[in-house]
Amino acid sequence: MAIRFYLILVVFLLSAIVSFSLYEDQVGLMDWHQRYIGKVKHAVFHTQKTGRKRVIVSTEENVVASLDLRHGEIFWRHVLGTNDAIDGVDIALGKYVITLSSEGSLLRAWNLPDGQMVWETSLHSAQHSKSLLSVPINLKVDKDYPILVFGGGYLHAVSPIDGEVLWKKDFTAEGFEVQRVLQPLESSIIYVLGFLHSSEAVVYQIDSKSGDVVAEKSMAFPGGFSGEISSVSNDKVVVLDSTRSILVAISFVDGGISFQKTHISDLVEDSGKAEILSPLLSNMLAVKVNKRTIFVRVGGEGKLELVDSLSDETAMSDSLPVADDQVAFASVHHEGSKIHLMVKLVDDLDTVLLRESIQMDQHRGRVHKVFINNYIKTDRSNGFRALIVMEDHSLLLLQQGAIVWSREEGLASVTDVTTAELPVEKDGVSVAQVEHTLVDWLKGHVLKLKGSLLLASPEDVVAIQEMRMKSSGRSKLTRDHNGFRKLFIALTRAGKLFALHTGDGSIVWSVLLNSPACARPSGISLYQWQVPHHHAMDENPSVLVVGRCGSDSSAPGVLSFVDVYTGKEISSSDIGHSVVQVMPLPFTDSTEQRLHLIADTNGHVHLYPKTSEALSIFQREFQNVYWYNVEADNGIIRGQGMKSTCSDETADEYCFTTRELWTVVFPSESEKIISTLTRKPNEVVHTQAKVSTDQDVLYKYVSRNLLFVATVSPKGAGEIGSVTPEESALVVYLIDTITGRILHRLSHQGCQGPVHAVFSENWVVYHYFNLRAHKYEVTVVEIYDQSRAENKNVWKLVLGKHNLTAPISSYSRPEMFTKSQSYFFPQSVKTIAVTSTAKGITSKQLLIGTIGDQILALDKRFVDPRRTLNPSQAEKEEGIIPLTDSLPIIPQSYITHALKVEGLRGIVTAPAKLESTTHVFAYGVDLFYTRLAPSKTYDSLTDDFSYALLLITIVALVAAIYITWVLSEKKELSEKWR
Amino acid sequence: MAKLTLFIFFLSSLLIISSSLAFQSDELLVDDDEFGLEGAKPQSTPLHTSSPQPQQTPTFRKRYSDLDLDSKVQFTLEHAFGDSGFSPAGTFSARLKSWSHGGKTLTKLRFSRNGFSDEEKDSFKNLLKGDDFYRIRLPSSVISPPGKEFVVASVRARCLPRDGLDEHFVIHMEGANILAVSYGSLGACQYPRQFKLPAKWSFNSHTILKSSEQAPRTPIFTEEILGGENAEGEVEPPPERSFWAKYWMYLIPLGLVVMNAVTQAANVAEGPTGGQAGGSQVQQSARRR
């Protein structure tokens, strides 16, 4: 019996040694992945049979995608490179999606059903110009009309079947800009209308087979054109003249050109500068004048007449042919919390085909774009559905007066991320209520037990997997003991703030920023404003969003405070000065609000929050506040100290002047700043000393005031390979930002940027390209403090003669040394981050965002400058890896496993409460989150741990003890009776 | 400690040598050797850095290279007290050496410091009282001073006074351009900075020129060596681990099992009637103990 107990115990112990690597069935347990496409620029509906359910979109994130019209899911999607902006998208031959990108120099065809690339043609381009894509509406497949592309000064005719360039016409010499290409059906002549030096309209008649110019006609327009153009019909365009007050209708039918001028003031009274709006309406154009949108009908001879006028908040779609040769268009305008969608006939604006009102979340802002599509309803009448793009970049499909689906595409352009805690669990909510009943709980564990003992049937396995996926309370909205549940607050380019739950990636709340000064400030950055703990537990945490009204850096700034628990904007203030730099200070007031300094363009700094308490805290530390600014264009880094309060009359007591304390001037002819980096201000360093194998102690030089700067030769600032190794050098610096001392300076001859770096504790790891070796390299620099090396003597420590507790002044001459080592790295890198844990005890991993949009976790041990070719036994035991010339890429260490974070731009790490674990959030076009344990979860049992087995074992043991006790009692009794 | 006393002795001997001058300029003849690695040397070798004053070592090195292409340059050091304007405070003179490959380097840097006038002494005292900044600046280009930009550095005035006024310049050069200058006292500056007037109003100036350190080339190992090393390393058995160290995890449970078996056997032997299960015997004996 005892043997059996022990055996059970041994079995139990063995089962407790869990495996740590990620298995297939563990995917999605801790991580989530969300796919986005970005703000839609253009949408093309497919009108033929199978394609009816789909819409092709191109976006500002350079994505071309096919979406399901019923559910909004992505059928397929391609993310083009960051420099490969899509200019036009269309459907050719009924089966290919044609995209034109990179200013008209790349033409690609994608297979409509599955998104496979069919062909790609690189078109010759000589200069920057606007590009134009003209895909013929091909009704008869047998006739082969070419795709006409204008871009970079050339007009190309490309066969839609295989992408072959049929002919090209060079317009570079004349400076001719093509504005309109017309391919009449049943004709081999192509009409090309363009402007010469914006003052002369030229029409070329080109043979569509050979590309020869058949005829050419030109006519000068004395006023000059402004470049804004609208095609109103096949043979007519309307342009604005250079003064933006005259509309010129140009008709170019049969090779002749005629102008018809109409003053806008004749159409509307007191007209200002006009602007032609983009919607293409047949025989009509929309012009924005005086904050109103007017519709102008173009008559047969180019006569213009005003037909309607609307407020400029109205968004309009292109016109769409509906039955009986009629053309309709959609317009959407706001009214209170509702939006009104109207579909009207172009010829008769009084005929409203569809009028719908839809309740709209006000945090989506205004409607930016509308695309309409018609379908045949079950009663054989015409139905319309509209795809609308909102101000927060979200994409919605409206049909039958309801929002069929919506996509939060704002999340494809995240600019800044911070973390926030969830509220503490209230007393009312008991754990049992959330985590089922005890019976369910036990059942679940019995299932798990079966699974771990390999007794589970296939159905059981499915049940186990399902159970794990919705694992108890994973997406609860309260704080958990381990700190696994958190919020990631993401600021998007549209100025919208999202709170994402780490459990399942769901949006907890979202808020579109408002400002009293301007309608929509653009968000710049995000800071943790108030993180209550200790004495201010009643306060809700809040974040600070710094934005500005307008794109210019001198535009007035806007501060917005958002409550993290509720997602409500607490306050929003127009601060009346510009924002150049925001500096969180290491001081908080009694309500745990962090003090921030904001520098403006005049060289003044402003203290926030504007309270007397904050001011008194700041005055106390006034002498010890320093800051620096990097002027990357001039190659100067300036260090500043506080001087006095502002003397201007307009300024308040929270405004301070600064003085220049130090400068570092990089010679403009030999060095150009390409990268600067500091440590994360909230990073925790567990130990200041590092014990090496020979019982020697190295003290880390841990300073918050270090700045890493990388410069390259101006010639080498371009693309990799654009210079010879002799011409390019990369120099890296470590600068103390209090005194401006250069602590470390290392030049890499024959190397080139871009430099991606990560700075943590006392080390920097940076990635660059070595032109001589034709490889990427990674260099690590570790900084050690020499001044405290004397403290190694134990007796000194015992007698208290050490200087470990002495305050460290930046003005003392630093005695430090650096250790550095370089390795080849086989991949190009997009971004690098490092894991961070609550106490900094767990070893670190570098998180490398590779060019393939995956994230590789590389142990810091691989980039240790103490690695040698033949480590001694002692060094090996310490964990020093033998030196190799390149860093290994272990396929299992991709934390994104099979997924891709398309368009990866940044990786954010945040510590969980559990020391071993860190949160990793990666953003790009896609979002990805996972939890990492760089040194395995040494401080907790895994989710797989079978509590039921433990419980059963204990119960069995207790029962056995009882039984044996009874039996032995009996035996003793019987012995005594003998 | 011994090092420090040695250094002080060394320094004081230096002072004695040049004490006949009114404003002594303890200039350091830093000879950039042919490859411009001078400033880098102490950093790359930990042996040098372990000594408190590594930069002193190259001072007495003689150089014999021809100076045909040299030209003399001079640039002024300017200083400011707190927020006052900058005024001249000394002159650096050096030889500008042009290399055949087009580069230029500064060698033989000499520095002559102007002493404080009475007025300047007063302003400096004010700085000391207010714990304010003493600021200096140099032109960013030595060929065409003052150039477009100045390289500024500053220090809390209270860090400077020792016996006299100790100052230490580290000038970071890139060709003929001054990138940055680090300015401060020679040693540490204790944080609660004490107000202390200097005993002597004369400067002990130390100057170091630093140019960029070249990164070592990334070592390239041939595959064979690496493979050989690795294979060898893996094959080699760890010799010093004892039998116990290797197999303790198996031995302990085994021992326990054996122990149990033994007690059980003893129990069985003890009770010859033994009509009950072995397990109860174990429990019985355990209870008795």
Side-chain angles (χ1 to χ4, degrees), chain A residues 447-580:
Chain A
L447 263 181
K448 268 190 194 173
L449 178 65
K450 269 178 151 181
S452 56
L453 295 176
L454 302 172
L455 296 169
S457 62
E459 296 92 69
D460 289 346
V461 172
V462 172
I464 293 168
Q465 188 66 8
E466 203 175 309
M467 204 171 59
R468 279 167 147 190
M469 283 306 213
K470 44 179 191 186
S471 115
S472 55
R474 188 179 155 196
S475 51
K476 260 198 317 189
L477 287 174
T478 50
R479 224 175 274 188
D480 65 331
H481 182 67
N482 289 334
F484 288 168
R485 291 198 294 264
K486 252 188 176 181
L487 289 179
F488 273 105
I489 315 287
L491 177 69
T492 66
R493 198 185 304 144
K496 196 171 185 181
L497 213 56
F498 288 92
L500 300 169
H501 196 286
T502 55
D504 54 1
S506 58
I507 296 166
V508 178
W509 50 260
S510 62
V511 57
L512 191 63
L513 299 178
N514 281 304
S515 152
C518 56
R520 287 281 177 255
S522 58
I524 312 169
S525 47
L526 196 58
Y527 299 89
Q528 288 187 335
W529 177 252
Q530 199 175 11
V531 185
H533 63 285
H534 299 327
H535 45 274
M537 282 305 273
D538 301 337
E539 308 272 335
N540 282 7
S542 54
V543 289
L544 163 69
V545 187
V546 181
R548 59 167 74 103
C549 286
S551 53
D552 190 29
S553 69
S554 60
V558 176
L559 297 188
S560 218
F561 303 94
V562 179
D563 187 322
V564 171
Y565 288 173
T566 61
K568 296 274 182 299
E569 202 164 356
I570 302 165
S571 69
S572 171
S573 58
D574 177 30
I575 55 177
H577 59 82
S578 55
V579 176
V580 177

Side-chain angles (χ1 to χ4, degrees), chain A residues 28 162 200 355 585 608 852 908:
Chain A
D162 53 4
E200 198 177 344
R355 190 196 296 269
L585 296 175
Y608 290 89
V908 177

Side-chain angles (χ1 to χ4, degrees), chain A residues 367-406:
Chain A
V367 178
H368 266 192
K369 280 192 172 119
V370 187
F371 305 97
I372 59 161
N373 173 227
N374 62 337
Y375 62 95
I376 310 291
K377 288 196 213 167
T378 42
D379 60 355
R380 302 262 160 202
S381 64
N382 251 321
F384 293 94
R385 52 168 88 96
L387 199 61
I388 59 173
V389 180
M390 305 297 289
E391 198 172 3
D392 68 342
H393 297 183
S394 59
L395 184 69
L396 298 98
L397 185 82
L398 308 181
Q399 191 177 329
Q400 295 158 13
I403 300 169
V404 182
W405 50 260
S406 65

Side-chain angles (χ1 to χ4, degrees), chain A residues 1-3 5-6 10 623-626 636 638 641-643 659-671 731 733 738-749 768 770 772-773 775 777 786 790 806-809 811-813 815-818 820 822-824 869-870 873 876-877 882-885 960-961 964-965 967-972 974-975 978, chain B residues 1 43 46 49-50 52-55 82-83 130-133 135 140 148-156 159 168 170 172-174 177-193 208 210-221 225-226 229-230 233 236 240 253 256-257 260-261 264 273-276 279-284 287-288:
Chain A
M1 203 68 176
I3 295 172
F5 289 151
Y6 277 114
V10 168
Q623 284 285 313
N624 292 328
V625 176
Y626 301 82
I636 301 176
R638 293 179 200 278
M642 294 294 137
K643 192 169 158 189
R659 60 175 157 206
E660 192 172 286
L661 292 182
W662 54 267
T663 52
V664 174
V665 182
F666 297 103
S668 56
E669 65 272 17
S670 63
E671 292 185 37
V731 192
Y733 298 87
I738 304 294
T739 59
R741 279 181 214 271
I742 295 178
L743 298 179
H744 173 74
R745 181 179 177 201
L746 194 66
S747 85
H748 296 268
Q749 290 298 323
Y768 53 92
N770 187 333
R772 287 218 175 90
K775 280 177 185 172
E777 269 185 9
Q786 193 75 51
E790 312 262 312
I808 295 162
S809 169
Y811 290 106
S812 303
R813 215 159 64 87
E815 292 168 37
M816 35 78 67
F817 66 97
T818 55
S820 152
S822 301
Y823 317 89
F824 293 120
L869 210 50
N870 283 315
Q873 191 60 38
K876 268 187 198 164
E877 271 170 15
L883 182 64
T884 49
D885 54 356
I961 287 168
T964 47
W965 175 70
L967 289 176
S968 76
E969 284 289 294
K970 269 188 185 169
K971 196 185 166 196
E972 229 169 286
S974 64
E975 268 178 21
R978 202 147 353 134
Chain B
M1 236 16 208
Q43 299 241 325
T49 26
S50 60
Q53 286 302 311
Q55 290 85 1
D83 298 321
D131 193 18
D132 212 344
F133 289 101
R135 302 196 288 162
S140 65
K148 52 186 191 323
E149 282 289 341
F150 285 96
V151 173
V152 184
S154 53
V155 70
R156 295 271 181 187
C159 289
H168 186 85
V170 181
H172 291 268
M173 303 291 301
E174 172 64 46
N177 293 304
I178 297 177
L179 218 111
V181 55
S182 304
Y183 181 70
S185 65
L186 263 175
C189 182
Q190 296 297 333
Y191 171 58
R193 289 180 282 269
I208 290 174
K210 268 195 178 181
S211 58
S212 179
E213 181 186 348
Q214 287 278 342
R217 288 183 79 157
T218 310
I220 301 172
F221 313 126
I225 293 172
L226 194 71
E229 291 288 342
N230 263 355
E236 195 182 321
E240 59 266 80
L256 285 169
V257 168
N260 266 302
Q264 203 177 346
T273 45
Q276 277 155 13
S280 67
Q281 297 283 353
V282 176
Q283 285 301 323
Q284 197 177 14
R287 215 168 58 86
R288 275 176 191 160

Side-chain angles (χ1 to χ4, degrees), chain A residues 35-48:
Chain A
R35 309 205 304 158
Y36 293 101
I37 52 175
K39 185 184 181 185
V40 169
K41 273 203 287 199
H42 201 86
V44 184
F45 292 92
H46 192 215
T47 47
Q48 280 171 13

Side-chain angles (χ1 to χ4, degrees), chain A residues 756-822:
Chain A
H756 298 281
V758 62
F759 196 159
S760 171
E761 294 194 356
N762 66 327
W763 51 265
V764 187
V765 171
Y766 51 98
H767 176 270
Y768 53 92
F769 190 74
N770 187 333
L771 290 162
R772 287 218 175 90
H774 309 289
K775 280 177 185 172
Y776 283 99
E777 269 185 9
V778 167
T779 297
V780 57
V781 177
E782 292 191 354
I783 320 145
Y784 291 100
D785 197 345
Q786 193 75 51
S787 63
R788 294 189 290 167
E790 312 262 312
N791 298 323
K792 275 181 286 192
N793 194 329
V794 178
W795 286 110
K796 275 193 177 172
L797 281 175
V798 171
L799 298 171
K801 284 191 174 176
H802 58 85
N803 58 356
L804 290 176
T805 51
I808 295 162
S809 169
S810 281
Y811 290 106
S812 303
R813 215 159 64 87
E815 292 168 37
M816 35 78 67
F817 66 97
T818 55
K819 284 183 168 215
S820 152
Q821 209 167 54
S822 301

